[in-house]
Amino acid sequence: MIHRSVVRPGPNQKVTAVRQDVSAGGPAANAAVTAASLGARALLISPVGAGPVGAAARGDLEHHGVEVHDTAAGTEIPLAVSAVMVDDETGDRSVVSPDATLVDGVDVTPVDLDALPRPRVVLLDGHHPDLARRVLAYAKTLDPRPMIVLDAGRWRPVFADLMGSADVTARSADFHAPDGVARSRATVATHGGDPVTWCDEAGRKGTTNVPAVDVRDTLGAGDAFHGALVVALGRGLDLEAAVEEAVRVATIRVQHVGPRSWLEHLPCG
């Protein structure tokens, strides 16, 4: 649930929003929407459930071309709802969310995964730790093995089990892994409007500039970046070229208000 406001409410204060949007969310879900809008086949493995909130989330995802494998199919679960406020003047956002802490015992089996399309790239965001571990373990058994990309917005304990097997960790500037945690083969780090830094598997390092644009809405910009990054990597681009494509897509995202309206400005496929 996203409200856009010209003022930030203080203690015990109410304000009137100038815009309201409702959409599916979460890093992997938003990245999947981006990937599907770029012409890729995107499948989200996540608990959605049979409740009214899950139905709304599923409807939004499927409307934007995302296939959903619901690990909580037929069960009404307390799907997390994020309260998001976007500053109408700056485009900056604030988020309050229980993340995935309300849902427990969600699992997927190798038999379930065998029935799904074989991926070229798997993006893990770590919101459901057991699910991420299961999918990673399965992906490592496949031949050819898909590329594993880790969305590391902020440190989560599950990342200690994921990073060492990831081909690419795409992290924010605020992400810091504890000492002793195995690193991925390649890294990409975003820094808001500053250049993106990257280091590929061969040890080659570089920076990619971010264009200066009129920023209207930063919500989900990192998710858009990750969705575009995995599509580019899945199409065989090297890391430098994939980062350039991800920057291009994220730059489109921040120039448009709302969680989905910006997709109309993407060239498909």
Side-chain angles (χ1 to χ4, degrees):
M1 177 71 71
I2 306 157
H3 288 103
R4 193 172 182 93
S5 176
V6 294
V7 294
R8 187 178 299 275
N12 201 33
Q13 181 184 10
K14 296 180 180 179
V15 299
T16 299
V18 298
R19 176 183 173 123
Q20 173 183 286
D21 292 282
V22 179
S23 72
N30 286 331
V33 168
T34 301
S37 298
L38 290 169
R41 184 177 184 181
L43 186 144
L44 178 70
I45 302 172
S46 187
V48 177
V53 177
R58 183 193 304 277
D60 176 57
L61 292 167
E62 292 180 345
H63 175 73
H64 288 95
V66 177
E67 301 172 44
V68 178
H69 176 74
D70 185 1
T71 60
T75 303
E76 187 167 340
I77 61 173
L79 195 65
V81 176
S82 298
V84 183
M85 177 168 286
V86 179
D87 187 309
D88 191 53
E89 182 177 349
T90 66
D92 291 337
R93 85 291 189 268
S94 301
V95 182
V96 178
S97 174
D99 292 335
T101 59
L102 301 181
V103 181
D104 191 21
V106 175
D107 201 1
V108 66
T109 69
V111 173
D112 297 329
L113 296 170
D114 267 337
L116 302 178
R118 291 291 176 92
R120 291 185 181 177
V121 184
V122 174
L123 174 68
L124 302 172
D125 69 8
H127 271 243
H128 295 283
D130 291 341
L131 196 58
R133 293 184 184 99
R134 294 279 192 181
V135 171
L136 175 60
Y138 176 81
K140 290 165 66 174
T141 70
L142 298 178
D143 187 15
R145 175 189 179 279
M147 180 176 289
I148 306 297
V149 178
L150 186 62
D151 173 352
R154 66 180 188 268
W155 173 255
R156 300 174 185 276
V158 67
F159 289 155
D161 299 328
L162 306 179
M163 285 185 64
S165 298
D167 296 288
V168 180
T169 293
R171 64 177 183 84
S172 70
D174 298 326
F175 179 88
H176 300 286
D179 293 339
V181 174
R183 300 309 200 252
S184 60
R185 297 171 181 81
T187 59
V188 175
T190 57
H191 304 267
D194 293 329
V196 177
T197 57
W198 52 268
C199 177
D200 66 17
E201 186 174 351
R204 191 169 60 104
K205 298 180 180 180
T207 60
T208 300
N209 289 330
V210 175
V213 296
D214 181 18
V215 176
R216 304 292 311 285
D217 193 343
T218 61
L219 181 66
D223 306 338
F225 180 94
H226 297 142
L229 182 72
V230 297
V231 170
L233 292 171
R235 290 174 175 165
L237 274 65
D238 65 18
L239 188 62
E240 181 177 14
V243 169
E244 291 174 355
E245 172 65 6
V247 167
R248 182 186 70 83
V249 170
T251 300
I252 295 172
R253 165 67 193 102
V254 300
Q255 294 179 78
H256 301 279
V257 174
R260 301 289 185 247
S261 62
W262 71 280
L263 299 170
E264 301 172 4
H265 302 273
L266 281 180
C268 181

